[in-house]
Amino acid sequence: MNYLAEVWLNGEPLGTHEGGHLPFEFDVSGKLRREGNLLVVRVDGELAPDRVPPGGASPNLPEITWDQQYPPASFDFFPFAGIHRPVMLYSTPSEAIADLTVRTTVNGAEGRVWVKLDTTAGTSGTARFLLQGHGGDVRAEAPVSGAGVETELRVPGAALWGPGAPNLYRLTVELVRSGEVTDRYSLPVGIRTVEVRGDALLLNGKPIYLKGFGRHEDFPVVGRGLAPAVVVKDYALMQWVGANSFRTTHYPYSEQMMDLADRLGFLVIDETPAVGLFFAEPGLERRLNLCRQYTREIVARDKNRPSVIMWSVANEPRSKRAPAKPSFRALYDLAKSLDQTRPVTLVSDLWVEEESFEFLDVVCVNRYMGWYRNPGQLPAGVATLSNDLDQLHAKFGKPVIVSEFGADAVAGHHAQPPEMFSEEYQAETIKRHHDLFHTKPYMVGEHVWNLCDFKTGQGTRRVGALNLKGVFTRDRRPKMAAHLLKELWRER
Ligand code: BDP
């Protein structure tokens, strides 16, 4: 639901939930009629400065309006409002599995799967754990007593999960009481480790380089509404160009998208909806509370996914005001307290001035050389970028990902020599950036902005209210840059 949902059952309020893109639920036990139930959801999509992401017309707050677009918002994508994903009614027994947390480690050839089971209050009996797949079942059993149960399953000769080999096991957990199974839940498990060591990002102990995109949940007619065929198509396109990763710019993607990342072996930087955050009043504390809520919700939803290798707590915050650094420190600490197994980052366009990189695990930066900077002058832009990247690494001493770079291109518009908005200029931009990045040993990833053209607000820089930085068009046809990426990324 985007942005704020109020829910009623048979005229009785069930509750509200603020923020889009993350699931929420209400308990309707004892409230359902035998027939003729009416569930009503009212969605409020108003843009306001104390919401996250922020928006709304506010002449005194230049920080929130992005490039004077209409509708006014602190971000560059269309603020689609409504019910974008499925609403489900489901039932559980009173003694039930409430949550599962899975963590995996690797010790030589042995994979270890640690599972924590939380049950509803008062549950008793036995918990059975079964891990299946890749030539051997592993079982464990433990008594259930109130709070929950932990166990570790050891998998000799484990088939590890990773791009190119997305090996998944199936974990089934059962609650058993007096010989009867009272509840059962299954989920896919990928055994893998993620670690930042020095300048490297390690997957299963080996350095990994991210090749991929920022993207949007956006398609003609359906807007941000879940369109499963588009999800499948986007993976097919990403595989065709040889991408191994993406960032969920600038909000958590659908569970269907995430399920396929696990199955197809994509590495995901999972980003909360905190885009365009600013640190002036009014509404600062309210916005920060929402960021904390989103961090808890995204970790709760995606913590068991092998594809998620990193959390991103913000995109391009306006971090120059004093509250920014302590606020991000608190969000970083919160994410780490919820999940000690994954690196935490934020994505910045402030580079060395983004002080929070002092404590974040990976440095993710966006920059548009040859476009917003040095327009039309790619060689000069890329030379400056080389220097800026070295300075960034010298200051923070951490692995660097350029999480956005690129250029708008009008499909079918050509120019030789390459000029801005031509397909040639976009391809040339990507080629020069890619070649530069591969001279920098501390770089661990490049994400092109964007996979596809997407709808945004109206403004002087956005012809047709579209951002045209896609290497595919909005209806998923390749531009020259897509063919180029296929050459660049498939060879390494
Ligand atoms: C970056 C933003 C992204 C925009 C992009 C652009 O992170 O959301 O769409 O610029 O201007 O700063 O194309």
Side-chain angles (χ1 to χ4, degrees):
M1 317 279 170
N2 218 335
Y3 166 85
L4 192 143
E6 276 181 274
V7 187
W8 291 264
L9 180 68
N10 300 325
E12 189 193 326
L14 287 178
T16 61
H17 181 266
E18 183 162 356
H21 322 287
L22 286 160
F24 62 93
E25 62 185 4
F26 299 115
D27 185 356
V28 295
S29 309
K31 293 180 179 157
L32 285 171
R33 295 184 195 140
R34 282 200 90 71
E35 51 189 44
N37 289 285
L38 181 66
L39 186 74
V40 173
V41 183
R42 179 167 72 188
V43 183
D44 161 4
E46 193 184 329
L47 296 162
D50 63 350
R51 293 184 166 187
V52 179
S58 204
N60 303 326
L61 279 176
E63 280 170 295
I64 63 166
T65 41
W66 191 88
D67 204 29
Q68 300 183 326
Q69 283 195 20
Y70 182 80
S74 67
F75 48 87
D76 176 29
F77 52 88
F78 193 79
F80 293 109
I83 302 176
H84 296 144
R85 297 184 191 159
V87 177
M88 278 183 301
L89 186 64
Y90 72 96
S91 63
T92 59
S94 53
E95 295 193 9
I97 295 168
D99 196 14
L100 288 171
T101 308
V102 177
R103 286 180 194 154
T104 63
T105 50
V106 178
N107 189 8
E110 184 183 73
R112 294 185 182 172
V113 179
W114 173 88
V115 188
K116 179 164 171 279
L117 159 69
D118 292 306
T119 55
T120 49
T123 303
S124 59
T126 306
R128 278 192 206 145
F129 302 87
L130 170 61
L131 192 72
Q132 294 169 293
H134 307 285
D137 293 356
V138 187
R139 290 165 199 277
E141 235 180 69
V144 179
S145 56
V149 190
E150 290 179 19
T151 195
E152 191 178 64
L153 302 160
R154 297 194 171 197
V155 189
L160 301 186
W161 183 97
N167 295 306
L168 290 173
Y169 290 80
R170 173 144 291 268
L171 173 68
T172 302
V173 179
E174 290 177 340
L175 290 179
V176 187
R177 197 172 172 191
S178 314
E180 299 267 305
V181 175
T182 57
D183 199 9
R184 175 187 289 122
Y185 194 85
S186 287
L187 77 161
V189 169
I191 301 177
R192 60 106 184 93
T193 60
V194 185
E195 194 191 333
V196 172
R197 199 183 301 156
D199 286 342
L201 178 64
L202 305 180
L203 184 81
N204 299 328
K206 297 194 192 94
I208 183 104
Y209 188 85
L210 306 184
K211 302 174 286 187
F213 299 94
R215 183 184 161 269
H216 271 295
E217 290 187 325
D218 175 271
F219 197 66
V221 183
V222 297
R224 185 144 303 127
L226 175 65
V230 178
V231 169
V232 172
K233 178 74 179 174
D234 282 1
Y235 276 110
L237 297 178
M238 288 194 284
Q239 286 181 318
W240 180 69
V241 296
N244 63 10
S245 64
F246 59 88
R247 173 166 61 110
T248 69
T249 52
H250 296 304
Y251 41 78
Y253 290 170
S254 68
E255 289 169 60
Q256 289 75 2
M257 183 78 191
M258 302 302 284
D259 287 346
L260 275 187
D262 290 338
R263 269 168 52 187
L264 300 175
F266 274 77
L267 304 168
V268 181
I269 301 177
D270 207 1
E271 185 163 283
T272 74
V275 52
L277 207 60
F278 68 101
F279 294 86
E281 296 292 351
L284 179 57
E285 192 49 34
R286 197 171 180 286
R287 290 192 298 277
L288 295 177
N289 275 333
L290 282 164
C291 291
R292 288 190 271 273
Q293 175 199 317
Y294 298 160
T295 302
R296 280 191 290 270
E297 288 176 344
I298 197 174
V299 174
R301 193 192 75 163
D302 291 342
K303 64 186 173 183
N304 295 331
R305 297 184 177 282
S307 57
V308 174
I309 55 155
M310 205 179 298
W311 306 110
S312 162
V313 295
N315 180 71
E316 296 193 357
R318 325 291 194 239
S319 295
K320 287 191 179 161
R321 290 184 195 253
K325 192 177 177 186
S327 304
F328 284 125
R329 179 78 228 192
L331 280 180
Y332 175 86
D333 290 343
L334 173 63
K336 286 286 178 184
S337 73
L338 298 166
D339 176 11
Q340 297 83 51
T341 69
R342 292 177 177 89
V344 176
T345 190
L346 71 72
V347 172
S348 178
D349 59 347
L350 295 180
W351 289 57
V352 287
E353 288 175 73
E354 185 65 67
E355 295 178 9
S356 298
F357 284 142
E358 287 167 20
F359 51 82
L360 292 160
D361 299 316
V362 175
V363 167
C364 287
V365 281
N366 298 344
R367 186 157 289 175
Y368 291 87
M369 289 305 196
W371 194 256
Y372 298 126
R373 294 183 187 226
N374 302 97
Q377 300 175 63
L378 262 177
V382 170
T384 311
L385 182 62
S386 174
N387 196 37
D388 291 352
L389 280 166
D390 290 344
Q391 273 184 14
L392 188 70
H393 178 253
K395 175 158 181 189
F396 298 111
K398 296 185 180 178
V400 175
I401 296 172
V402 175
S403 35
E404 287 182 28
F405 64 100
D408 287 66
V410 177
H413 178 61
H414 293 281
Q416 176 56 37
E419 282 177 354
M420 292 176 77
F421 288 99
S422 66
E423 291 197 31
E424 285 81 357
Y425 192 84
Q426 183 189 41
E428 187 72 19
T429 302
I430 290 171
K431 172 87 171 75
R432 283 182 186 259
H433 281 73
H434 169 88
D435 290 348
L436 172 72
F437 299 155
H438 287 281
T439 66
K440 308 289 181 194
Y442 50 80
M443 278 204 57
V444 298
E446 59 189 54
H447 278 176
V448 171
W449 190 255
N450 190 283
L451 179 68
C452 301
D453 294 345
F454 59 92
K455 185 164 172 58
T456 185
Q458 301 166 62
T460 49
R461 294 186 190 185
R462 295 293 180 254
V463 179
L466 293 172
N467 183 312
L468 297 173
K469 293 194 186 68
V471 301
F472 294 91
T473 59
R474 196 173 182 219
D475 60 356
R476 274 57 181 169
R477 286 172 291 119
K479 302 180 190 172
M480 277 177 70
H483 292 279
L484 168 83
L485 281 173
K486 182 167 166 276
E487 301 297 311
L488 299 179
W489 283 348
R490 285 213 169 167
E491 81 197 18
R492 53 178 297 159

